[in-house]
Amino acid sequence: MKATEIIRIVIFGFLGFIFMFFVQPWMYENRIIPIKDVPVGEWLSDSYTTGAGVVFAVSILATVVWYVLAANAKVTTAAETDRWRVIWWVLLLLPIISICLGISPVFNSSKDALVSLTGFYILDAIVILYWLPTGTSSPSLLMYIPPGARLLRGIFGG
Amino acid sequence: MTLYIIGIGGTGSKCLEAITQVAATGLFSEEKINLLFIDADETNGNLERSRNSLSIYRRTFDLMSGDKQQYPWLKTPLESYDVWSPFGNTNANKNLGTFFNYNNLKQKNPGLGNLFDVLYTKQEQQVNLDIGFRGRPAIGSGVMSRVDLDSLDEEPWSSVIGQIQADVGAGKSVKIFLCGSIFGGTGASGLPTIGRLLDNKLEKENVREKVKIACLFLLPYFGFTPKAGESKDEVYARSEQFLLNTEGALRYYVNQAEQFDRVYLLGNQNLSQFNFSIGKNTQRNETHFIEFYAALAARHFSSYSPKRQEKVVLISRDKNNTIAWGDLPEPEVVRAELVNATRFVYVWLGNIAPELADARKMGVRKFQNAAPWFGKFYSAGGGLFGNRDLPDFNQANQQEAIRVITEWCQDYLRWILDIHRCDGDDIKLFNYSVLEKLDGTVKSDELSELVVGDKRDKGSKAADTVQRLKQRLLDTSNITPPNQGTTGLAKSLYMLCRL
């Protein structure tokens, strides 16, 4: 496992954390995205934080699981390596399920926030916390398995 | 230093084949080796196989030309003078009687003609010698003795002698290594004769003191049983006479080997059984580990220090019926290079070559996503990604390079497998069961199990996988050219296969 790979995962994790627990709540609090059906402060401290925490944790878990599995993968041919695409897409289900939970009435009591929250969670969970880290930091022979990995590595290095 | 190696007869050509394979592993220096085959039977199967191995070597050598500092593979240029037959360009009947103009001899000098009849039976006088000297050194000696290097303007001798003179004139030390069997036909007759002729010729040209001549005599190491129905009166090699021939020859050489500065003797008490052949392309005996030792003897001669006084060089092994790494001369050095080459062959044939074939089927772009190492050597076939300075995988020259390298690997594998199949001896260099599976993609990675007596710890062996090698292919920044395309891939892999 390369140090640079781990560092990139940590950086994207940190970025996701900042977005989810500082930037997005700030946008709701300052009415950049207005919510009228529930008190914003209450909603943020009760529903949103818990839901965002679940989405964050599950997405990070999916990324870590992918990295650990990929680092220990026994692949000697391109055909064997190619089969790992299926595993990547299967693991993507975890963030997707967490998003569904996060926007459900269990963790979201505001219908006004539904669309924006869905959009934020997709950006956070799928893009920042799963796709970017796996696309830029998958170990050696699986480095190009996540979709668009070659483009991402061209942009972010690695 | 320039080295000339002359292989005489079928066994001599097998020794040259072994020298070609050993040279490929980098066990000789970067100085050129000149090879000459001597055989009356130009269609001999052993000779044909040796010439084939040599041409494969030279094609691969030309492909992988460039800086050899980083890796020893194919670092020795091999030049070939091809085959010389003592019958020259004679199209007439190739029999002893015609060669000595027997009818004329009998008429003009009856005494000599009668002596000829005493020395050779009627069958021996009339038998067709275009398949060699049929295991009869007396026949071979008669033919070889007529060779006159002074008046021999034909190739290759004029080139060989001319080149030796040029090398000496340029201040290079020159070494000539003759090899052949002491018990057969062509080798037994050719070794002393060609040795003597060369000695005399170089003496006459005043260069003999600057040239060292060595001879490797192969003692009996195989036998065969003639097919049922072969008449006892027919003239063919008889393996039951090999030991007798050897005893007679060795008596001669005790006092008559003055033309050689060094003598090597190799033999095996366990005689391997080969299929009987009277000659021509059916005489294709399996490779034997003795020939591998012959190549190491040539290596020893090419590098020996003149300060050593030993004239006769012998070697022994620890256990009867077994050959292990410790039984080889300079075992650590020989083992390191042989292991490097064999590991490379294992990985290339078992994984890389099949993967490159898959790349053609899948398409470069799709393949590259599943094989990132590929993009380090070949371009991505257009598009935004990949290094456009790298060669296009689908170019004819890249595909040809893959074919050439694969061909070399297959030839080397055949040779090393044959050595391990020796009848009557247990060869403990590589695990035969691992190597013999290389007829397609290896299903399990047994790279770490390849070498017998591998003393690495469990952790190191567990980490020694084809997968790990391919991971290391991703970083080729320290590799000097050639480091692109197929040649770059092969070179990188060869370097990574070193233990």
Side-chain angles (χ1 to χ4, degrees), chain A residues 73 75-76 78 140 144 150, chain B residues 351 355 369 385 467 470-471:
Chain A
V75 289
T76 50
S140 59
Y144 296 140
R150 288 169 66 84
Chain B
N351 190 278
E355 286 269 81
N369 286 338
F385 312 117
Q467 178 179 348
K470 289 164 104 172
Q471 287 169 352

Side-chain angles (χ1 to χ4, degrees), chain B residues 132-294:
Chain B
F133 300 133
R134 304 198 176 221
R136 305 295 171 97
I139 296 177
S141 296
V143 173
M144 292 285 188
S145 65
R146 299 294 296 272
V147 174
D148 179 3
L149 289 185
D150 277 334
S151 61
L152 204 60
D153 291 330
E154 68 180 85
E155 291 296 328
W157 289 109
S158 58
S159 291
V160 171
I161 301 298
Q163 189 58 52
I164 290 173
Q165 288 175 304
D167 288 337
V168 170
K172 291 182 186 177
S173 86
V174 174
K175 294 184 179 177
I176 304 174
F177 185 84
L178 286 80
C179 51
S181 72
I182 204 174
F183 54 89
T186 312
S189 55
L191 283 171
T193 315
I194 298 294
R196 173 73 60 197
L197 290 172
L198 274 171
D199 182 58
N200 292 342
K201 177 69 174 174
L202 296 173
E203 190 70 53
K204 197 172 172 189
E205 302 293 337
N206 294 318
V207 296
R208 180 61 180 95
E209 280 185 8
K210 306 264 175 63
V211 177
K212 297 290 177 203
I213 304 179
C215 187
L216 164 63
F217 298 111
L218 275 113
L219 311 179
Y221 64 98
F222 66 87
F224 45 78
T225 308
K227 286 182 192 165
E230 290 284 352
S231 163
K232 285 187 182 173
D233 293 330
E234 289 292 318
V235 181
Y236 54 83
R238 295 170 199 273
S239 64
E240 62 272 20
Q241 291 177 352
F242 282 173
L243 282 173
L244 197 62
N245 293 347
T246 301
E247 196 262 345
L250 285 173
R251 281 175 186 272
Y252 168 83
Y253 283 114
V254 166
N255 298 313
Q256 301 292 332
E258 296 304 317
Q259 66 268 45
F260 301 122
D261 300 297
R262 179 162 278 208
V263 168
Y264 294 82
L265 293 154
L266 276 173
N268 189 27
Q269 64 197 82
N270 305 320
L271 301 181
S272 296
Q273 287 303 310
F274 291 158
N275 292 329
F276 172 77
S277 166
I278 208 158
K280 286 202 178 286
N281 57 9
T282 56
Q283 188 184 354
R284 189 181 284 257
N285 303 332
E286 290 80 15
T287 301
H288 195 282
F289 71 83
I290 281 287
E291 293 133 25
F292 172 45
Y293 271 86

Side-chain angles (χ1 to χ4, degrees), chain A residues 70-71 73-82 85 140-145 150-151, chain B residues 351 355 362 366-373 380 385-386 441 445 466-467 470-471 474:
Chain A
K74 300 275 185 268
V75 289
T76 50
T77 65
E80 288 172 5
T81 307
D82 204 49
R85 286 184 206 284
S140 59
L141 295 182
L142 275 71
M143 63 199 294
Y144 296 140
I145 290 301
R150 288 169 66 84
L151 171 65
Chain B
N351 190 278
E355 286 269 81
M362 283 169 76
K366 188 179 175 191
F367 180 81
Q368 197 165 341
N369 286 338
W373 54 268
F385 312 117
T441 309
D445 189 342
V466 173
Q467 178 179 348
K470 289 164 104 172
Q471 287 169 352
L474 294 173

